[in-house]
Amino acid sequence: YFFRVIIEGDKGDNMAKRDYRLVTDDKIRRVVFVSGKLFYELFHARASRKIRDITFVRLEQIAPFPFDRMARAASQFPNAELVWAQEEPKNMGAYSYVAPRFRTALEQLNGD
């Protein structure tokens, strides 16, 4: 199956088997939304540092943008800071496409 958004530990997560567990969802301090191979680099960097309160959400398809799935992923971690990560500088890569759509998804979540 193809999953447009993959939350760590959820369906579609091919990295679900690890030697450690993350903290509970309400204690996650940062959710990093990411696309592409950068996920794997960040995943292994986090594991080597034994960081357990940062989780990743992978966007496997950004167009059409998965507003509902992004909002659901964000709502799963109520106390976390939400950030986007990419290899490219801010003025390159997917940021300029993702940022306004991400804000819209969060506004829908918050009822704004």
Side-chain angles (χ1 to χ4, degrees):
Y1 295 106
F2 177 76
F3 298 93
R4 292 168 51 201
V5 175
I6 300 173
I7 301 170
E8 244 187 307
D10 206 355
K11 292 179 182 178
D13 182 8
N14 62 335
M15 304 295 281
K17 294 184 179 181
R18 55 176 88 77
D19 296 334
Y20 62 94
R21 291 181 183 253
L22 297 176
V23 297
T24 58
D25 291 351
D26 62 322
K27 293 184 178 161
I28 293 288
R29 76 178 161 91
R30 182 173 296 142
V31 178
V32 180
F33 290 86
V34 63
S35 185
K37 72 178 182 81
L38 182 60
F39 161 76
Y40 296 97
E41 295 170 10
L42 294 174
F43 180 91
H44 292 297
R46 180 191 65 189
S48 70
R49 290 174 178 80
K50 296 181 174 59
I51 297 171
R52 299 169 51 139
D53 60 354
I54 294 176
T55 191
F56 302 110
V57 175
R58 290 181 272 175
L59 270 70
E60 296 294 311
Q61 178 181 342
I62 62 172
F65 195 79
F67 291 95
D68 56 334
R69 289 173 175 87
M70 289 290 291
R72 190 180 76 219
S75 69
Q76 186 171 326
F77 307 97
N79 301 317
E81 171 190 22
L82 308 174
V83 298
W84 171 258
Q86 67 181 29
E87 289 182 284
E88 303 86 2
K90 189 176 179 180
N91 65 342
M92 299 172 71
Y95 179 81
S96 61
Y97 178 82
V98 170
R101 288 159 181 82
F102 188 63
R103 281 192 296 275
T104 299
L106 294 179
E107 287 170 4
Q108 290 175 351
L109 176 67
N110 295 326
D112 295 343

